[in-house]
């Protein structure tokens, strides 16, 4: 029986553990806290799932496969882990990201529509789109109930026979040391999110940043779609599960330590979110904050992930760059095929020097919200 040790029980590690255990591997999952703990990036209440990725075709295909797998997983546990709210992209330029995305969606046969901005006003109770060229509607995009999905995936993995070791792992050649114990397997996968740079210094070029999310109280009727304003680096969704209107800035925050970092949002983040609401959804400008969450991005220079062999039998899986959750079950399928020897990872995911690029996520280094 083939064996694997996976370090990290975020959504990437747990999805891979589940996938491999159900394909006949003996799987050990090592986690320093509990699956779903609040320091991990996967513990956000919600994460958006979208196919649009500008000019890229690889991620849209991956997102579509993931959509199928989230729905299957939800059916399997009798719970809607993925809610298909649809998503509106607010396009400020006639020929920007949204137009490129629409061309790719068209080519791949993924449902979408181009709307006049006024039509978006029929979807949101209160909406100002007079600065927009058009709105791109992705009806099959939506929201994954992320923290819940991480816990469910972990539970299924354990039920499938995955052995969970609680402790902080460190690399030990091609093995894993946890406390005084050395664990060995045919393959080791380090799926450690924001902890990866400190485990493999010099090998990975990753920047960890603090990202603040706010949820604002809304009246009944705000069960609206997800939305993304690329040029403003802001995204969110309507009232899923009573969580209120989510507003997150996708602009990269300050450098952040996932262990020691304070998990309170800054006053500046609230100001930025309110400024955005005031312009786009004016009636929410003074809405009370329901709750807020701090999370970290783990960014590669070009926002492409890392799926790479560090040495024989040792793999690094990380650098999700703030756009990894949605893909997790499909990524697990892909990495499973890599570990089984059926494919090599795409060169883009390697440990080579990356040329800075911002085409995959919606944000930029500069917070453009206040300029908008
Ligand atoms: C504000 C915000 C919004 C986002 N929005 C979206 C979105 O809308 N759509 C989307 O697709 N993605 C989104 N993302 C990104 C998504 O959350 C991540 O891509 C995903 O959660 C990464 O999962 P992971 O398993 O790689 O990392 P994590 O969830 O961080 O898990 C890593 C795990 O490894 C464990 N670990 C680390 N080191 C060790 C060690 N030495 N020993 C044992 N255990 C260890 C940690 O404790 C942790 O549990 C967002 C992220 C943020 C911060």
């Amino acid at each position: 029986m083939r064996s694997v040790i996976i370090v990290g029980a975020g959504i990437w590690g747990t999805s891979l553990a589940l996938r491999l255990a159900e394909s006949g591997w003996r799987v050990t999952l090592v986690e320093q806290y509990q699956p779903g703990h609040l320091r991990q990036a996967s513990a956000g209440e919600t994460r958006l799932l979208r196919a649009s990725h500008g000019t890229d075709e690889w991620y849209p295909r991956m997102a579509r496969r993931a959509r199928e797998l989230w729905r299957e997983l939800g059916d399997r546990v009798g719970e809607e882990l993925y809610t298909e709210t649809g998503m509106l992209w607010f396009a400020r330029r006639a020929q920007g990201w949204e137009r490129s995305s629409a061309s790719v969606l068209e080519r791949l046969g993924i449902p979408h529509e181009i709307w006049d901005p006024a039509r978006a006003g029929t979807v949101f109770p209160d909406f100002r789109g007079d600065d927009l060229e058009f709105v791109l509607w992705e009806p099959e995009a939506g929201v994954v109930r992320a923290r819940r999905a991480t816990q469910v995936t972990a539970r299924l993995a354990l039920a499938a026979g995955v052995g969970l070791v609680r402790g902080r792992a460190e690399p030990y050649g091609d093995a894993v040391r946890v406390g005084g114990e050395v664990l060995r397997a045919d393959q080791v996968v380090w799926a450690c999110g924001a902890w990866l740079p400190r485990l493999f210094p010099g090998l990975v070029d990753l920047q960890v940043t603090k990202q603040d999310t706010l949820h604002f109280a809304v009246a009944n009727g705000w069960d609206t779609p997800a939305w993304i304003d690329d040029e403003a680096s802001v995204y969110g969704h309507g009232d899923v599960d009573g969580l209120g209107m989510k507003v997150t800035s996708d602009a990269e925050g300050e450098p952040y330590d996932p262990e020691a970092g304070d998990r309170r949002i800054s006053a500046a983040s609230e100001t930025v979110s309110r400024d955005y609401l005031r312009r786009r959804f004016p009636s929410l400008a003074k809405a009370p904050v329901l709750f807020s969450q701090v999370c970290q991005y783990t960014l590669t220079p070009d926002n492409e992930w890392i799926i790479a062999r560090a040495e024989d039998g040792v793999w690094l899986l990380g650098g999700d760059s703030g756009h990894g959750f949605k893909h997790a079950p499909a990524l697990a399928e892909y990495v499973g095929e890599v570990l089984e020897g059926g494919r090599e990872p795409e060169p883009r995911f390697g440990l080579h020097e990356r040329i800075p690029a911002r085409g995959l996520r919606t944000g930029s280094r500069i917070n453009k919200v206040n300029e908008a």
Side-chain angles (χ1 to χ4, degrees), residues 31-32 37 40-42 47-48 169 235 295 320 324-326:
E31 171 55 52
Q32 57 190 348
H37 69 88
Q40 63 178 198
S42 306
R47 295 290 183 248
L48 306 189
Y235 60 93
C295 182
D320 64 276
F325 198 100
K326 67 180 84 53

Side-chain angles (χ1 to χ4, degrees), residues 85-223:
T85 58
M87 185 178 297
L88 289 163
W89 292 83
F90 304 148
R92 297 174 186 225
R93 286 181 292 144
Q95 301 298 332
W97 156 288
E98 296 80 11
R99 185 70 67 187
S100 309
S101 297
S103 305
V104 172
L105 299 182
E106 182 69 31
R107 252 196 321 278
L108 300 183
I110 299 172
H112 66 286
E113 292 169 25
I114 302 285
W115 287 4
D116 183 89
R119 188 164 164 201
T122 64
V123 174
F124 296 104
D126 171 36
F127 176 75
R128 244 194 63 194
D130 48 7
D131 56 334
L132 303 180
E133 285 287 330
F134 67 94
V135 171
L136 171 62
W137 170 236
E138 252 196 76
E140 292 183 357
V143 178
V144 187
R145 295 181 165 93
R147 184 155 185 238
R148 180 69 192 142
T150 304
Q151 289 166 333
V152 164
T153 305
R155 178 168 57 75
L156 289 175
L158 298 189
V162 170
L164 179 64
V165 173
R166 290 279 291 279
R168 181 159 297 175
E170 50 185 285
Y172 190 76
D174 63 357
V176 174
R177 192 164 60 188
V178 187
E181 203 185 342
V182 175
L183 310 176
R184 294 187 184 278
D186 300 336
Q187 309 274 352
V188 174
V189 180
W190 295 87
C192 296
W195 290 261
L196 210 52
R198 67 173 66 170
L199 289 165
F200 296 93
L203 199 54
V204 290
D205 179 6
L206 292 171
Q207 190 196 1
V208 178
T209 59
K210 176 173 183 273
Q211 304 299 139
D212 292 352
T213 293
L214 291 100
H215 290 249
F216 292 89
V218 292
N220 274 340
W222 276 90
D223 47 347

Side-chain angles (χ1 to χ4, degrees), residues 289-302:
V289 174
L290 267 184
F291 78 102
S292 54
Q293 268 193 313
V294 171
C295 182
Q296 63 275 339
Y297 279 168
T298 306
L299 301 160
T300 61
D302 57 3

Side-chain angles (χ1 to χ4, degrees), residues 38 68 78 111 183 218 232 237 245 273 302 350:
L38 282 174
E68 276 171 32
L183 310 176
V218 292
H237 61 65
M245 178 71 135
S273 299
D302 57 3

